[in-house]
Amino acid sequence: MIDDFAKDNLHERLRRDREALLWKLDGLAEYDVRRPLTATGTNLLGLVKHLATVEARYFGEVFDRPSPEPLPRWQDSDGSDLWATEDETRDQIIAFYRRAWEHSDATINELPLDAPGHVPWWPESTPAWHTNLFAIMVHVLGESTRHAGHADILREGLDGRTGLRAEYEKQIDEEARAAYCAKIEQAAQVGAGVNRGPRPGRGHRGAMVGKP
């Protein structure tokens, strides 16, 4: 009973995060889903491509159920799963992600939670190198939740849209958002002892005007 509950609960949360991630691409221009949005190059379409690869590997090779997707050897991983090449389309990458779901779901449905597996790209000294389906479901869910959170922030930075799922999205109220941010900014400045403006005869943060 508890195994069935645990598997169903983890699986449902994984499904939820998959859909949430794809929703973050809806309505965006092609350039915006592909372009780097952080100093380390994080981008929305790359997050989808990365998680498709994660699922294909963890629910495939780990349990000797290789994904039908043509994947490079894990030993040759070079970070190319984190961004879309010029020749890859949004539709192709989304379709890859959905096919990875199907393969993952088959593994999850057919194996018991204690089904053994091993992760060859983890150090052999790691206790989890020899693992099971339960541990891998937790691991992949953690990866998916983390990157869905990244996508939340990236999308908010692009056009202000937020929300876990489409049905929970609210109309953007710019005035209310500005007031909320101002409240947090005020608390941050007071809490950190930051001056809100220059003192007479002084520059920003107390620097003497005109002094070297």
Side-chain angles (χ1 to χ4, degrees):
M1 289 291 291
I2 190 63
D3 281 1
D4 290 342
F5 172 80
K7 180 191 275 193
D8 290 346
N9 190 267
L10 291 171
H11 201 176
E12 180 56 34
R13 288 177 176 272
L14 179 59
R15 292 189 184 102
R16 179 199 66 187
D17 286 349
R18 291 166 173 169
E19 295 289 355
L21 178 61
L22 288 186
W23 176 53
K24 295 301 174 179
L25 276 62
D26 284 359
L28 287 177
E30 194 66 28
Y31 176 61
D32 284 335
V33 300
R34 306 170 79 96
R35 66 187 175 102
L37 296 169
T38 70
T40 56
T42 307
N43 61 96
L44 285 165
L45 197 54
L47 290 175
V48 175
K49 183 179 177 182
H50 173 64
L51 283 176
T53 305
V54 165
E55 290 214 26
R57 291 201 190 282
Y58 277 98
F59 290 114
E61 297 169 59
V62 168
F63 298 100
D64 197 25
R65 297 168 57 93
S67 168
E69 296 295 328
L71 299 174
R73 299 189 318 152
W74 63 265
Q75 296 94 329
D76 300 329
S77 178
D78 59 1
S80 59
D81 65 320
L82 292 167
W83 53 280
T85 67
E86 298 89 336
D87 299 328
E88 292 175 315
T89 70
R90 181 196 313 218
D91 288 345
Q92 286 173 335
I93 290 175
I94 289 175
F96 169 32
Y97 194 23
R98 291 190 180 279
R99 291 193 302 272
W101 299 359
E102 294 177 3
H103 184 262
S104 298
D105 289 346
T107 296
I108 292 168
N109 291 332
E110 293 175 24
L111 298 181
L113 281 182
D114 61 354
H118 78 277
V119 185
W121 47 89
W122 287 355
E124 291 190 37
S125 58
T126 304
W129 188 71
H130 290 292
T131 188
N132 58 31
L133 180 63
F134 174 76
I136 293 301
M137 288 184 73
V138 171
H139 179 79
V140 173
L141 177 60
E143 282 279 306
S144 299
T145 301
R146 177 170 176 255
H147 292 311
H150 292 154
D152 283 341
I153 299 300
L154 296 183
R155 183 61 190 257
E156 182 178 349
L158 285 169
D159 61 8
R161 289 180 63 180
T162 61
L164 177 63
R165 294 195 290 274
E167 59 267 32
Y168 295 148
E169 186 177 18
K170 296 179 180 179
Q171 188 73 25
I172 296 174
D173 185 334
E174 298 287 0
E175 185 175 339
R177 284 187 175 184
Y180 181 66
C181 286
K183 180 179 179 180
I184 298 173
E185 175 65 24
Q186 170 68 17
Q189 292 196 17
V190 173
V194 178
N195 294 328
R196 292 185 60 89
R199 298 177 183 176
R202 291 177 177 269
H204 183 59
R205 294 199 173 185
M208 292 297 293
V209 175
K211 295 291 184 180

